[in-house]
């Protein structure tokens, strides 16, 4: 203990030492002291939850050259290296004690080897730099959901992002860290060597290593927030296991409020793989956002409750435009704290793909400080003005459409859960499951999304992504599904829906971008038993008249019987093909599949075969409803 104290005293000024000492937590002291010994910073700075400390970090990101101020007050741009534009699965590994396995399918290395490797990569990494020590909280501090977190990094951009995206946690450590059994997550990130643009040069030595035994994640040679901001995806992997130990759920979901008739407020959560409409659903005009990425579920006083783990949004900026996303557009154009990531900057103004404005031929971006159209990247590939995964970081509080209760420490009652995929030819735009288990098994566990032109590799390839949480499952798929199936089984559980905004005919989308505004209102009505549906082999579909009325009320649009008939046609061959893909996965790739999933699969197949005999391959919803 004395050893740690001496190390801390050697690098911390007395007031910063006092901030740590006030926490009276040996593990905190040990973690900070070890980072000092290993990474050898010039100095150490400890922050609390004060505005002053947040401002210090914001300014430091600029002084370090990690962020560059833009014309609008409070706006900055941050660049990640050309090869550091997204999470990298290949180098993201779980550290497991010798002889153990979290699941054979997961990318894992022996704990001792992994620690040796990461320590080798982080040794001396803070030389000439300032080590930042900050405290944040996943979920509202003081609540049953709260997970206090300790972040160590040499990147002011990382902690600045965390100030926008998470609630402060120093107060939570002060309250709790002296208590026996106090558990917290810890993250140690090191930027590593940087190039002249302040981006990590050794991208080939990028590693993200998760030590579940110590609730700790280490990352190095990367700046991209998905790899460095500890409380985002690094924490999700730890939280899924903590939730497993404690009997709750950690999900990759948005939370939104849908406004029903007579002022009724209904909360929906949604899991969508990338590019399936997640943020745009959470942002539907006329409804209210609570959060767009991470939700924790708990049963509280016999109710199914969800909390937004975050306090901000790290959103994809591509295709954000004045018409489609007026709320975000407004925040991105007025004074206030915004970090733009990997956009094009010309004359202090940010530009991105699909913004609906003319893009200059030149500027600074993730490729070069002097990018020009037609320029090739260091890998010889053509470049675009902004990266397709370019992002904006803002606070929920700065959004005009936030739900005033978004920060409720007790959480919000969940009425429905949506699993949203992308497929051009199989699922109808919206349907309801027959119940919780049917929804988990046939919608969540069978979630797929087609790759788009924007993703690497062939277009139109279906990727299986269980509850959109696949990248973060720190346990077997079966264990995770069982936890979902069992959760809250003694209470009334939310209704489960499946959506697909991307049905096509003759290569054209059958639905408009805003149609999802109708689907969520329909779900809201169903949740409260306010309308009937049509029972089909794959779930309950809307009746025409309800959608006609909703389209005309919300979108002022005539919704014809033909449009409905086409969109809600039950496509039997494609649905059977999907079940075949899933059968293959769940009988040969996943071990220990819950028996109930196979039962639902076989039953669904039998129902589909039965209606096919009667009506053929493509069945109009009018036929199914007998109207
Ligand atoms: C996602 O990819 O799901 C994100 C962004 O929310 S990242 O921080 O990279 O995870
Ligand atoms: Mn996400």
């Amino acid at each position: 203990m004395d050893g740690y104290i001496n190390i801390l005293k050697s690098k911390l000024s007395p007031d910063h030492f006092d901030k740590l000492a006030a926490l009276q937590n040996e593990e905190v002291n040990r973690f900070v002291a070890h980072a000092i010994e290993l990474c050898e910073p010039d100095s150490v700075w400890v922050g609390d939850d004060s505005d002053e400390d947040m401002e210090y970090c914001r300014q430091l990101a600029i002084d370090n050259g990690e962020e560059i101020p833009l014309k609008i007050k409070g706006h900055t741009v941050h660049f990640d290296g050309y090869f550091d534009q997204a999470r990298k699965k290949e180098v993201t590994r779980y550290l497991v004690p010798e002889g153990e396995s979290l699941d054979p399918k997961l990318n894992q290395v022996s704990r001792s080897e992994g620690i040796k490797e990461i320590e080798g990569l982080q040794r001396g990494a803070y030389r000439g730099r300032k080590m930042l020590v900050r405290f944040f909280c996943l979920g509202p501090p003081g609540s049953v959901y709260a997970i206090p977190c300790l972040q160590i990094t040499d990147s002011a951009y990382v902690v600045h992002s965390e100030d926008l995206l998470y609630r402060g946690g120093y107060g939570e450590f002060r309250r709790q860290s002296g208590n026996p059994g106090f558990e917290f997550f810890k993250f140690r990130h090191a930027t590593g060597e940087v190039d002249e643009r302040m981006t990590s040069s050794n991208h080939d030595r990028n590693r993200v290593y998760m030590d579940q035994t110590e609730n700790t994640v280490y990352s190095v040679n990367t700046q991209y927030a998905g790899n460095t901001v500890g409380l985002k995806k690094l924490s999700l992997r730890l939280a899924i296991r903590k939730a497993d130990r404690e009997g709750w759920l950690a999900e990759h979901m948005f939370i939104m409020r849908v406004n029903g008739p007579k002022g009724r407020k209904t909360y929906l959560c949604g899991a969508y793989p990338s590019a399936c409409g997640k943020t745009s659903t959470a942002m539907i005009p006329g409804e209210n956002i609570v959060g767009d990425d991470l939700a924790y579920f708990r049963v509280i006083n016999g109710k199914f409750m969800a909390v937004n783990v975050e306090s901000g949004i790290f959103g994809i900026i591509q295709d954000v435009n004045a018409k489609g996303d007026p709320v975000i557009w407004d925040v991105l154009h007025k004074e206030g704290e915004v970090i733009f990531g990997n956009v094009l900057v010309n004359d202090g103004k940010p530009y991105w793909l699909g913004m609906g404005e003319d893009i200059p031929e030149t500027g600074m971006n993730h490729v070069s400080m002097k990018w020009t159209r037609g320029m090739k990247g260091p890998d010889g590939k053509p470049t675009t003005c902004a990266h397709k995964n370019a992002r904006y970081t803002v606070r929920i509080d700065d959004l005009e459409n936030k739900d005033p209760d978004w920060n409720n420490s007790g959480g919000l009652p969940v009425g429905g859960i949506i699993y949203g995929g992308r497929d051009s030819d199989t699922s109808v735009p919206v349907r309801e499951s027959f119940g919780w288990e049917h929804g988990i098994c046939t919608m969540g566990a069978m979630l797929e999304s087609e790759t788009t032109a924007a993703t690497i590799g062939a277009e139109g390839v279906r990727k299986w992504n269980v509850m959109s949480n696949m990248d973060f499952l720190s346990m077997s798929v079966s264990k995770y599904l069982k936890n979902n199936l069992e959760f809250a089984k003694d209470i009334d559980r939310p209704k489960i829906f499946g959506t697909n905004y991307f049905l096509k005919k003759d290569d054209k989308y059958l639905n408009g971008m805003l149609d999802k505004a109708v689907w969520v209102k329909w779900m809201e009505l169903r949740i409260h038993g306010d309308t009937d549906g049509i029972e089909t082999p794959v779930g309950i579909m809307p009746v025409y008249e309800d959608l006609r009325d909703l389209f005309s009320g919300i979108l002022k649009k005539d919704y014809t019987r033909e449009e409905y008939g086409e969109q809600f046609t039950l496509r039997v061959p494609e649905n059977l093909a999907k079940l075949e893909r899933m059968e293959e996965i769940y009988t040969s790739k996943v071990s220990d599949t819950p028996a109930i999933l196979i039962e639902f699969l076989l039953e669904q197949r039998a129902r589909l075969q039965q209606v096919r005999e009667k009506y053929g391959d493509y069945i109009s919803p009018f036929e199914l409803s007998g109207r």
Side-chain angles (χ1 to χ4, degrees), residues 302-357:
K303 286 216 172 90
F304 193 115
M305 306 292 282
V307 82
N308 179 16
V309 173
E310 309 185 282
S311 63
I313 296 185
F314 176 58
I316 294 185
I317 202 163
Q318 180 164 334
D319 295 331
V320 168
N321 55 61
K323 196 164 160 264
D325 311 272
V327 175
I328 297 278
W329 186 261
D330 180 51
V331 177
L332 301 183
H333 288 82
K334 68 178 190 206
E335 285 188 6
E337 239 173 304
V338 181
I339 310 173
F340 292 85
N342 305 316
V343 294
L344 175 75
V345 174
N346 181 306
D347 196 23
K349 180 172 155 49
Y351 296 87
W352 56 90
L353 296 163
M355 72 189 293
E357 282 184 14

Side-chain angles (χ1 to χ4, degrees), residues 86-87 224-226 232-233 252 274 278 293 314 389 391 472:
R87 284 183 277 112
Y224 174 68
K232 209 169 205 10
K233 296 310 182 345
H252 188 204
S274 296
K278 186 181 183 196
D293 200 37
F314 176 58
N389 192 31
R391 301 231 164 204
F472 315 107

Side-chain angles (χ1 to χ4, degrees), residues 235-293:
S235 77
L236 178 55
R237 299 175 179 108
L238 299 178
I240 286 174
R241 288 194 78 84
K242 182 172 163 70
D244 172 59
R245 293 193 294 275
E246 298 175 356
W248 49 277
L249 294 176
E251 296 300 315
H252 188 204
M253 290 193 190
F254 70 65
I255 309 175
M256 71 184 295
R257 184 181 106 191
V258 178
N259 299 304
K262 300 195 185 123
R264 185 169 67 200
K265 301 171 187 172
T266 305
Y267 291 93
L268 289 178
C269 299
Y272 295 59
S274 296
C276 290
K278 186 181 183 196
T279 305
S280 60
T281 304
M283 283 280 173
I284 288 173
E287 317 297 359
N288 299 86
I289 184 164
V290 173
D292 90 323
D293 200 37

